[in-house]
Amino acid sequence: MEHLLRPRTVAVVGASRDPTKIGHVILKNIIESGFPRERVFPINPNVDEVLGIKCYPSLKEVPYEIDLAVIAVPASIVPRVLEDCAERRVKAAAIVSSGFKEVGNVEAERNLLEIAKKGGVRILGPNIVGLIDTVVGLNASFLPYLPDRGGIVMVSQSGALAAGLLAWTKLKGIGLLDVISLGNRADVDESDLMEFFSKDVHAKAIALYLEGVENGKKFMEVARRVSREKPIIILKAGKGWRAAEAVKSHTGSLAGSDAAYDAVFKQCGIVRAGDVRTLFDYALSLAMLPDPKGENVVILTNGGGAGIMGADACEEQKLRLMDIPEDLASALRKWMPSFGSVLNPIDLTGMATEKEYYGSLSVLLGDERVHAIITLFSHPATLNPMNVAEAIVRCVNKVKGDKPVVAAFIGGKECEDATRFLIKNGIPAFDTPERAAAALATKYRYAYYKSRPKGKHLEVRVEKDKAYGILAKALREGRNLTQSESCELVSLYGIPTPKKIVAKSLEEALSSAESIGYPVVLEVESPDVVHKTEAGGIRLNIKDGRELEDAYYGILKSVKEKAPGARVEGIVVRPFVREGVQVAVGMHRDEVFGPLIMFGSGGALVELYRDVSFRVAPLTDVDVDEMMRETKVYHVLEGFRDAPKDVRSVKEVLAAVSQLSLDFDVISDVDINPLFVYERGCMAFDVKIMLKGSSLCGT
Ligand code: ACO
């Protein structure tokens, strides 16, 4: 990775004299970026020299060690070039050429990887724009120029987007350390890059644009570790509800494909950005700001409007605005007219000049009770924004990075220039108070990620043999588990379920109800009916034998009509359970990351309310706690306008579902909905377990 990302010598394969060809542009860029000419080797069998540099017919002829070969020849020639790399012991290859997996040539790409693995060559790409490294001063890409040097590493799965973002960051004055186009990721992927940059002293933050992750396990393992050392910010595109309509479980249809990414990012301490702008807003804040030492945030402004917007934004971002103590207030009053305000936001008024900004900011920076500052400036005709920006930089430099300071300058071109100046001088600066508050809040969020305990994995004791028996029978018969098998399976993992008897006739149902005691519930026992309410397959609160007889025949008739062809294996009789707070616990197996565990509000309307949160198994106690707190129903469990419920029992259910999903990867989905939660204990009222590849019919 060192040879790929910090090369000492570079060969360009496909270096043409034709200035319109990519191989020519890359060679020219390498030279123009200041990389020493004597360490650049153009390769082309048809010419002796390109851009004044001696050209070799093949890599094999180069009499020097080569760290990196940038390959820009048509796809059909790439395998041969890669063989040369292997023979010549070139350490890394950046393959610009398109025409592999992205157009369906999976086999050709696999072949590249095989050659590279055998020869010990690391591959970046194929299908990339190349890479830029400001540490050695190398533009080994067909991107037009080097970025301004900074601490942010930019990695993009899309080459075209990398080009756009390079220009965009240049315009905004945002400094980058490396720009890396990932392309098809035949070998080097985002995890390898995160790992490398976690140890690079120059890298302060890693910003990635990703469309997806292929190796979920590796990604989680690396990201979890790296994010404690370096901030990772990801813009993940493609939030689509992949095949959501084809998924029959509640959990599956709520999960879509994006919930897994969201969960993984939270579990791994990755900051998620919603768009390009926030990707760099957060990257700036995380790369530049020192960790805050406490929660007291102060807003300094020259305008009431900006101040109020800033205060609203802080509230929304859950930043705590400090109450200004009297001694601090009187120190600040010296820097404002009598009609200024020392309430937070501190309003210096439109009369403020750079002198007032400098003075009041010095007071705030010097006070230990103040932990972070948002400096707002709204452009009045009387003052040049650059003067204020310079005053802020001077003031912050004087105290040398002790506490986070962000800025927002509201105005036109002059404010834009001032913002760029601030960024170049290490102060994250934006054009609105909302962006400034969000950037600061991200710093707080990341500080929380870094300091939160790693958590303990929750283990559950189970009778695995019995569980295996239940699943094996259903698998042999090519079906999902029935309701009673599902209940039995989860009860082996310690999840409380109501007693059930499967009756094969009306007489058996009547005697079962007598033994359980009225009121009872009747429901159809069928591996094919997934949503029983819709199929008319369930009747609640049956109080006597006469009602039971009606319900028994009613269910059989309704299922026959609404789920024709469904196998009916009997009618389940169970007690009519007292209702508690309804929550839902579930699992949907994600293709990339594995079992995705869900918690949220339960009942028939889960999909409508969407009060749910997700984490990927195995769950730690920290994961369980965080995921529960993200939902509204958690507040109900905690005792919102009622007695607190048994939260611990729900945590045990989440741990059990996590364990069950890890024990048997043949299970595709688990739905426990509702799980009634009482003041003491809980009860899984309805349990569905679906198996991979089992065909579902009915509703
Ligand atoms: N070793 C070295 N050079 C060779 C070899 C060899 N074995 N064989 C041929 N060459 C030379 C060619 O003779 C030519 O040089 P010349 O102009 O002196 O004749 C040079 O290599 C280039 O070969 P061409 O056949 O002319 O190929 P061309 O430059 O037209 O295209 C390229 C090559 C750019 C790699 C093309 O095949 C390709 O894949 N383009 C897409 C690149 C891309 O977009 N990548 C993804 C970016 S991501 C995004 O979204 C933008």
Side-chain angles (χ1 to χ4, degrees), residues 299-312 345 376-378 408 410 433-434:
I299 298 176
L300 191 61
T301 178
N302 68 342
I308 293 169
M309 287 194 294
D312 283 349
L376 304 178
F377 175 81
S378 202
I410 307 165
E434 291 77 12

Side-chain angles (χ1 to χ4, degrees), residues 12-18 20-24 43-47 50 56-59 71-78 80-81 84 95-100 102 126-130 142 157-161 163 181 183:
V12 180
V13 185
S16 167
R17 295 178 81 150
D18 178 346
T20 64
K21 291 198 178 174
I22 285 182
H24 179 94
I43 312 292
N44 186 334
N46 306 316
V47 290
V50 191
Y56 296 88
S58 84
L59 285 164
I71 302 176
V73 291
S76 57
I77 306 176
V78 176
R80 231 184 311 141
V81 174
D84 289 353
I95 306 177
V96 171
S97 322
S98 301
F100 294 91
E102 82 284 3
N127 189 31
I128 57 170
V129 289
F142 57 100
Q157 196 176 338
S158 151
L161 189 71
S181 164

Side-chain angles (χ1 to χ4, degrees), residues 249-252 481 486 489-490 495 584-589 595-598 653 656-658 660-661 664 667-673 686-691:
S249 74
H250 288 299
T251 311
L481 300 194
S486 299
L489 184 60
V490 297
I495 298 174
V585 171
M587 185 281 291
H588 176 68
R589 196 171 296 275
L596 187 59
I597 310 294
M598 182 190 82
V653 172
V657 171
S658 164
L660 171 66
S661 321
F664 298 103
I667 299 176
S668 71
D669 291 77
V670 175
D671 260 348
I672 301 177
N673 181 25
D686 195 357
V687 185
K688 292 186 195 87
I689 292 187
M690 297 175 204
L691 306 184

Side-chain angles (χ1 to χ4, degrees), residues 482-488 497-506 508-510 512-513 516 520-527 532 537-540 542 548 551-552 555-556 559 568-576 685-687:
T482 62
Q483 166 74 233
S484 42
E485 284 170 334
S486 299
C487 283
E488 198 187 338
T497 56
K499 185 179 173 197
K500 294 175 182 216
I501 301 170
V502 183
K504 303 280 183 189
S505 65
L506 176 63
E508 271 183 44
L510 284 165
S512 305
I516 288 170
V520 293
V521 172
L522 291 198
E523 61 185 310
V524 66
E525 174 79 344
S526 166
K532 290 194 197 81
I538 186 161
R539 297 285 176 93
L540 308 172
I542 297 163
L548 186 140
Y552 186 90
I555 287 175
L556 291 179
V559 169
V568 174
E569 293 175 354
I571 297 288
V572 172
V573 186
R574 56 188 170 108
F576 183 60
F685 186 68
D686 195 357
V687 185

Side-chain angles (χ1 to χ4, degrees), residues 123-194:
I123 300 180
L124 182 68
N127 189 31
I128 57 170
V129 289
L131 67 150
I132 291 180
D133 163 8
T134 65
V135 176
V136 296
L138 170 71
N139 178 5
S141 76
F142 57 100
L143 298 171
Y145 38 71
L146 285 177
D148 295 336
R149 168 95 188 252
I152 300 169
V153 174
M154 184 176 92
V155 178
S156 176
Q157 196 176 338
S158 151
L161 189 71
L165 293 181
L166 175 67
W168 192 80
T169 52
K170 191 102 177 162
L171 189 71
K172 304 283 174 198
I174 298 170
L176 302 177
L177 186 71
D178 289 76
V179 179
I180 298 156
S181 164
L182 267 179
N184 297 2
R185 300 178 293 187
D187 172 22
V188 170
D189 64 9
E190 58 286 345
S191 304
D192 297 315
L193 294 175
M194 290 191 291

